[in-house]
Amino acid sequence: MNKLIKILHTADVHLDSPLKSLALKDEDLQATVKTATRAAFIKIVNTALFEEVSALLISGDLFDGAERSAKTAAFLTTQLDRLKAAGIPVFYIKGNHDAENPITGEISLPENVHVFDGRGGKHQIENSAVWIHGVSFSGRHAPESLLPKFGAPEPDAINIAMLHTSLAGSQGHDPYAPCSVPELATMGFDYWALGHVHKRQVHSEAPWIVMPGIPQGRDIGEAGPKSATLLTIDEKNIVVSEVPTSVAEFIEVWVGADGIESDDDLRHQIREVLLKTAKELASDAGLIRLSIGGETSRKWQILRDQDSWREVVAELARSTGVIWVERTKFELVTATESATADTSAVTELGRLMDEIQSEPAFASELRASLEAVLAEIPIGRRSRLIPDEAATEDLAHSLSETGATAVIAAMKGASE
Amino acid sequence: MRLQQFSLDLFGHFSSKTFDFGKAEAGRSDFHVIYGPNEAGKTTTMEAFMRLLFGFPHREPYDFMHQRKNLQVSGVLEIDGKQLGLSRLPVRTGSLRDRNETVLPETALQSHLGGLSEQDYRQLLCLDDETIERGGEQIVSSNGDIGRLLFSAAAGVSDLSGVLEQFKSKADGLYRKRASSTEMAKLKKDLAEVERQIKELDVPASTYRKLKHALEVSRSEEETVRTERSTLHKSKATLDTLKSALPILAEIDALEAELAPFSEYPKRLDFNPEELVELLNKQSQLLADEKRLGDDIADFEFKLKNLERQPEHLSLLDELERFDDLRSRHATADLDLEKRRNTLREIHDDMARAASDLQATDGTPTETLVLSPAQINQLEQVRERIRDAKNDVAGQQKEIDGLRARIDDAEELVGQVGANEAPNAVIGPILNRYSVDMLAPRYASAKEALRLAATALADALSGLAFKDQTFDEAPTCPITADDAEELGEHHRASNEMQQKLTIQCDELQLEIDTLKQRIAHLKVTSGIVDDEAAQSATAERDQLWQNHKGSLSETTASTFEDAMHAVDTISETRLGHATELGQLRHEEQRLLELEVRLKFNGDKKAELDNELLEIQTLVTGYAESAGLPGEITPARFAKWVTYLDLVKQAAATFDRLKEERDSTISEANRLIGELRAVLALETEDFETVVAEARKREAEERIASEEQQEAIKGRDTLNAEMKRRQTAMKDLEGKAEAREEEWATLVEDFFGDGLDANCLVHSLEPLRTVRELEVRRVTADRQVTAMEKDQSDFAQEISKLCAKAGLDATLPPLEAFKSLKTLGDTAHAAEDCFTVDSASLTTAREELGLVEDALQKIDQQVSDLATLFPADVPTNTLPELRSAVNEAQSAIEKRENCSKLVSKICTELDVPDIEAARLKLDGASLSDLTASLMTADEDLEAIDQRLETAIETRTAAQKDLSAVTGDADVAALTERKATLEAEIEETALKYLETDFGLRLAEEAIRRYRDSHRSSMMDATEKAFSELTNGTYTRLITRPEGQSEILLALDAAGMAKQAHDMSKGTRFQLYLALRAAAYEQLASQGVCLPFFCDDVFETFDEERTQAACRVMERIGKTGQAIYLTHHRHVVEIAKDVCSSGVVVHEL
């Protein structure tokens, strides 16, 4: 076995799961980033073909639990056929989302795809001493460890094990095939090709325990550029590298407005930050959440004109050709705000508004309005926005606070 | 805070424009009118004040005249009664300065602005007509809502309703329950549409499974129908075949009957019948050729017999060809020869001329003067060398002449220097002996040190001077400085104490006197009986009682009674004046106390006086012994003793230095002595003497150096002269040798033919002779060659003429022409003979061929005739053609018949015609037609079934293949997710706006409740004043959650704000602002209030009233009114009783 063997490892593709971003309102962006999870998967297949890999490993959640269109399956088949034409085998274990998705059972995958079942098994990559072991989820949940289902590693060979697991998991989330890194390390495999956790992490290098992360982030919670993991095997040595896959990435951006004295200054500052972000962008498009914050004497003017500043930010971003804004937030303070006791009537009004907000009667009135209006939001989003009573209260409070600030800003500017 | 002075140092079009608002005076209004025409700078002034308070903006519109960096405003602010001088510069940090240009922190100013930002200040305290205008509109748009009115006035938000309305309409645009035109409704509609499209386009997993099943079922159905249809088609084809075979059989029978008479004719023809036609044509053509060839043969035989030939002249042309070159050369020589001979003669003449140029000896042949180029070159080189040698000699001679002149100059210089004989070097050795470079600084420092010490001593001694007494040296003193100082200090302390005691004694005495007076006064004025008088009265009474007790008489009783009454009176008096008595006792006690203290102090003072006297005596004694005349204070004496110590120190220092520097100075003095003797100088000053000595030493050195330099120069030149003279001799020798070499060479080349001295001037004639010789040889060769060519040609031609029998004496060119004509004629006759002989032979051969061909055709005709029966005529070619045509027709019919047989066999699928006849036996056309119609009906039915099956299968296939990997559903799902996010965003935006609005409205209501009483009163007062009493009161009326403002006129009629005239509304707004100013002032924020021509819409009466309102504001704080109306200034002056200050721009 003198030739270098390359293997591409990915997981959590969540095919056809939509991006959740207000930035996608923009038609230009829609043209650039269309069905990003598909584009990311195409990138993975392209990489596999370009690198002439010996296998593609998909460690679960190829499908998304919610998206059940047969077209998704047809797309997948087309892509896997490309690998088949190049003689590249695909090893696939089912994750929790795959198990709940009926499409998984309905499609006939091309014969180059080897799907491990819930009982586990192993398979040798042709003309090599590399063995792939894997165990699929049999249902939506796997509360017990799946490690006992793995057989012993093959002697005198490279052994790669595929597992969809939340590892130790986090509190408040259901455990998915729970196990620990030390447990994995003692199993005798050379590389653990994991899946499930959407953030990339290399847990160990000897043996390799790699969570490749989602290949395409879908909201700001999955920020940053995303990748697949490329293994290069030379004799017994495995070298691991990242292959970029995301076509769009979510980014939090901060624009410092400290000491800003004019609109021009602020525009300049925003432009600088956006250009820098555009320059450093790893994906084809950046969907940003931008915060303008800091200490400036122009706080009230900026807040008063916040709608037009949002437009400015959006336009400046659009002019980069690669950046789109999904939200612009303002976190400004003025230098004198806390220093002196302001005796103006507007300040007094502000104080009165604070007082009123904290009164239980008014607060409950606001909460009632909030619940009534939020009933209009589709249930999925609503339950994420206000998962519990406390969140409802917090939201009502923060909305009334920003609302009050906006009114004050408008009043301060009304006579200009 | 008020503005006292204000200066636009450099701002707008102003430079150093100053306003003085004066100091605030109690009881006087702080109301100022700044008057100036349009564009005079009223607004600029107000803006400049804003800069003073808040600094310059980044982009400054007032930098059109002075550059922004040069702008400056300054002023004096009065804050809490104190003055604060400030200036403001347009720099980023430290823009606020005090009068001393010290940077002040912004807080120095901000702390007096009540937390107002620049914007707040402009909103609240700078009114212009636009603000008033909007304020008036606000009154209408707020529908007289008192909360909004009060708040908008107090906050300076003139468009409060606009702001609230903006939020309301924003909220309404975003979401309204069950409304269809809101953002939310639109998004929901879009979402529903997207969901519909997804439903329409998408194929879920279950549908996908159904589609696959449907396709399989439809495929098997189609297969079955296709099989049935194929069977039906086969049976129909059989019927069709039988029906078409019946007519073919009938045709076969007819053909067989027609062929019966031609059974003996050949079954096939092995040739093409058309060949017979060609054969006929060929036969007639051959017969014509036979005749034409016979005629041609006879013609040629006649021509040959009459031809004349001359073979002997055939070779002449070849011979002439051989001499053609010679002939052309002969012709050329005829033209050129004479010219060439002339040229040769000219060359010979030129050579003779050149020989004479060379002054060659007469009779010398010119050939001997011709030299080769190498020889000429050799002569040239020798001649060049002679010239070089001569040049060298001349150059050397020139150098020698120059050198000789320089030697003369050098000799002269040596003579001069020798005359100025240098003085013997005497100064140098002296200076070296004393090593003056070391001595001079040492001497200078010694002198300086001694001078300083002497000065110090003299200064110290002068410090000792006392009164008229001065000292030249330190006197002896019996006391040390420390002791003298102690004595002095003791004296000072005692003196001080003594003075203090004196003062205390005086004070005590004063107090005692006062007390005594007070006691006396108390006794006199209050009728107090003092203790002494009381005791004596009591003692007298007791005495009288004893007397009475003894006598018990009326008299004693009476006296006793009087005494008793007196004691009672005293007791009563004392009881009645108990307070005064107490005071008296206290004062008396105090008097005693003071008297004791006075005595003690007096004693102490006497002691001190003695002590002071003693000290003074002691000091006077010491001073006298030290030589100081008269009295001296101990303090002054202590100081003098200290000076004395300093004198002693200075004297000691001087002595020590003198001793240390003694050797240096004596050494210097010796040097001065020696140098003065040598230099003959009067002065003894060391620096002067040494400087002069150094000057002389330098002169001595320079003279000696110059002498040496002159001698050295002369010697060098003499040596150079000698060297050059030797070289000259060498060069002259060389020149002679060259000239000898030249003479020898000339003799070698020309013997005595040429003179060497003559030749040396120029070699050019030799080169000319050389060139002429070359040309002569060429010309000579050309003439000889031409003469030879002419004689050769004449000789050859005469030989040929003899051979051909022509006249040999003819000129060669004419003879050549005649010979050529003879040759040409002989060749023409020979060519004619050859052509005619060949044509005759050819014609005879062609005739033989034609005769053979005719014979072959006859043979072919007889061969073909044997194919036909004997009774058919076939002897000639036309007869044969007719028989062949009949045979061909029979052959075609036979072929037709055989084709029909084969067709019928194939169609009926039988081996031969007999089997076919058997198969068709009994079949009729009508039966077959009926069967076919039935078959067609069956086929039509099955075709329809097939069509349906195909449609079903295609549809199923299409449905399944519609499940492609295209991204339409995925894209729609993404759109759906975005729409959902937008809905959420819209809901939150709506809530934020709605909450803000609700909070603001509630807060305004509360603001109204808390400020109503104070502001309403102030507004009412101002409004009544502004309207000159047209409206006397302001009241409110609840309406829903708000309260409406009503104004009552003098007659008690209520009017709502929106029913008032525009001007009145402006006045109401102004009244509200005046009230707001008062409220702000009551909160401790009292700042200059600016109005920029806001009375424009007011009539004269109301302008008067407005001026009074400004005047009232001026009483609370400071009011500044900017106007370009002169009448407003006049009105203000008229109506403001407590004064208005007018400033003109």
Side-chain angles (χ1 to χ4, degrees), chain B residues 421-598:
Chain B
E421 192 66 38
N424 283 334
V426 283
I427 309 292
I430 296 173
L431 292 178
N432 284 343
R433 191 141 43 77
Y434 283 94
S435 60
V436 78
D437 287 344
M438 305 283 279
L439 181 60
R442 256 197 298 139
Y443 175 77
S445 78
K447 283 287 261 195
E448 183 61 16
L450 280 174
R451 193 185 60 74
L452 288 174
T455 314
L457 181 57
D459 287 353
L461 280 169
S462 70
L464 283 183
F466 184 72
K467 293 186 179 166
D468 297 336
Q469 179 71 42
T470 54
F471 296 88
D472 292 338
E473 58 180 17
T476 51
C477 180
I479 187 170
T480 66
D482 288 347
D483 291 346
E485 195 171 340
E486 198 178 320
L487 212 54
E489 183 57 29
H490 191 146
H491 183 268
R492 192 191 56 75
S494 303
N495 203 13
E496 239 173 52
M497 182 63 89
Q498 190 241 23
Q499 281 170 7
K500 216 165 167 185
L501 282 171
T502 310
I503 293 166
Q504 278 177 359
C505 286
D506 291 350
E507 282 172 358
L508 284 170
Q509 191 58 54
L510 185 68
E511 203 170 343
I512 287 166
D513 292 348
T514 317
L515 268 176
K516 277 180 179 167
Q517 275 180 2
R518 200 183 295 161
I519 289 165
H521 183 74
L522 267 174
K523 281 182 181 167
V524 174
T525 57
S526 60
I528 296 172
V529 181
D530 60 10
D531 290 356
E532 207 178 323
Q535 274 167 11
S536 72
T538 312
E540 193 186 348
R541 185 202 63 184
D542 290 349
Q543 187 56 51
L544 286 173
W545 170 250
Q546 288 303 325
N547 293 348
H548 176 64
K549 216 162 124 184
S551 63
L552 290 174
S553 70
E554 186 72 24
T555 320
T556 55
S558 164
T559 49
F560 172 65
E561 191 186 6
D562 289 346
M564 211 163 62
H565 277 303
V567 169
D568 286 350
T569 311
I570 285 168
S571 296
E572 274 170 25
T573 313
R574 282 170 67 98
L575 207 63
H577 290 85
T579 320
E580 286 89 342
L581 203 61
Q583 194 185 352
L584 186 63
R585 279 208 193 124
H586 175 77
E587 300 285 12
E588 281 167 350
Q589 213 163 355
R590 169 94 179 123
L591 181 62
L592 272 176
E593 225 174 78
L594 289 175
E595 277 166 351
V596 172
R597 275 173 61 191
L598 179 61

Side-chain angles (χ1 to χ4, degrees), chain B residues 229-340:
Chain B
R229 183 170 168 270
S230 155
T231 316
L232 264 179
H233 268 294
K234 267 186 196 152
S235 63
K236 184 185 175 240
T238 313
L239 288 172
D240 274 338
T241 317
L242 290 177
K243 194 182 168 192
S244 63
L246 279 178
I248 295 171
L249 190 62
E251 204 175 336
I252 289 169
D253 290 347
L255 279 172
E256 278 178 353
E258 275 177 38
L259 280 170
F262 295 100
S263 58
E264 292 300 310
Y265 272 56
K267 293 289 177 286
R268 61 188 176 86
L269 291 175
D270 292 333
F271 62 95
N272 188 350
E274 287 304 311
E275 280 174 17
L276 288 182
V277 180
E278 274 172 34
L279 213 57
L280 193 61
N281 288 341
K282 202 175 168 188
Q283 193 182 39
S284 52
Q285 201 179 342
L286 283 170
L287 287 172
D289 285 350
E290 191 178 30
K291 185 178 176 295
R292 181 182 48 81
L293 285 170
D295 295 348
D296 286 353
I297 289 166
D299 278 356
F300 286 127
E301 280 169 349
F302 177 75
K303 260 190 199 165
L304 284 171
K305 208 197 264 174
N306 296 325
L307 194 63
E308 194 181 335
R309 296 169 66 195
Q310 282 180 310
E312 69 276 15
H313 289 160
L314 283 175
S315 65
L316 260 180
L317 286 181
D318 289 344
E319 297 278 352
L320 288 175
E321 184 68 33
R322 206 151 44 83
F323 301 131
D324 197 55
D325 188 33
L326 265 179
R327 184 194 58 83
S328 67
R329 284 217 297 271
H330 174 87
T332 313
D334 259 6
L335 295 173
D336 275 2
L337 194 53
E338 200 45 43
K339 211 164 95 195
R340 301 267 178 224

Side-chain angles (χ1 to χ4, degrees), chain B residues 64-79:
Chain B
F64 48 82
M65 186 162 160
H66 312 292
Q67 287 184 358
R68 183 183 183 274
K69 62 176 182 184
N70 297 329
L71 300 182
Q72 185 177 339
V73 292
S74 58
V76 177
L77 299 176
E78 208 175 294
I79 298 168

Side-chain angles (χ1 to χ4, degrees), chain A residues 255-402:
Chain A
V255 175
D258 285 323
I260 288 287
E261 282 189 358
S262 69
D263 287 356
D264 274 352
D265 285 353
L266 183 58
R267 249 195 303 279
H268 175 76
Q269 193 71 7
I270 294 168
R271 186 182 296 114
E272 290 292 300
V273 169
L274 289 176
L275 287 177
K276 184 168 177 285
T277 310
K279 204 172 157 197
E280 290 169 358
L281 193 68
S283 312
D284 305 343
L287 314 184
I288 63 165
R289 222 171 241 205
L290 185 133
S291 303
I292 300 175
E295 189 180 296
T296 168
S297 56
R298 294 189 59 76
K299 168 185 169 177
W300 293 111
Q301 284 94 325
I302 296 171
L303 284 180
R304 180 194 64 202
D305 304 332
Q306 48 182 296
D307 287 345
S308 74
W309 278 113
R310 287 196 172 94
E311 284 300 313
V312 168
V313 169
E315 195 46 53
L316 286 174
R318 203 177 294 132
S319 70
T320 64
V322 290
I323 300 241
W324 279 268
V325 183
E326 66 166 22
R327 186 162 295 163
T328 304
K329 286 198 289 184
F330 297 87
E331 294 169 13
L332 298 161
V333 290
T334 59
T336 53
E337 198 160 37
S338 52
T340 51
D342 190 339
T343 48
S344 79
V346 176
T347 313
E348 189 180 341
L349 196 77
R351 274 199 296 277
L352 284 170
M353 283 159 92
D354 279 351
E355 231 172 78
I356 298 165
Q357 263 187 73
S358 59
E359 287 167 8
F362 200 83
S364 81
E365 204 180 300
L366 291 189
R367 210 165 49 241
S369 296
L370 179 89
E371 279 163 2
V373 175
L374 294 192
E376 303 279 352
I377 301 178
I379 183 112
R381 285 198 78 92
R382 186 165 68 232
S383 56
R384 240 199 340 261
L385 181 68
I386 38 169
D388 50 30
E389 191 68 17
T392 314
E393 212 146 292
D394 287 349
L395 182 62
H397 185 74
S398 79
L399 286 173
S400 61
E401 203 139 78
T402 48

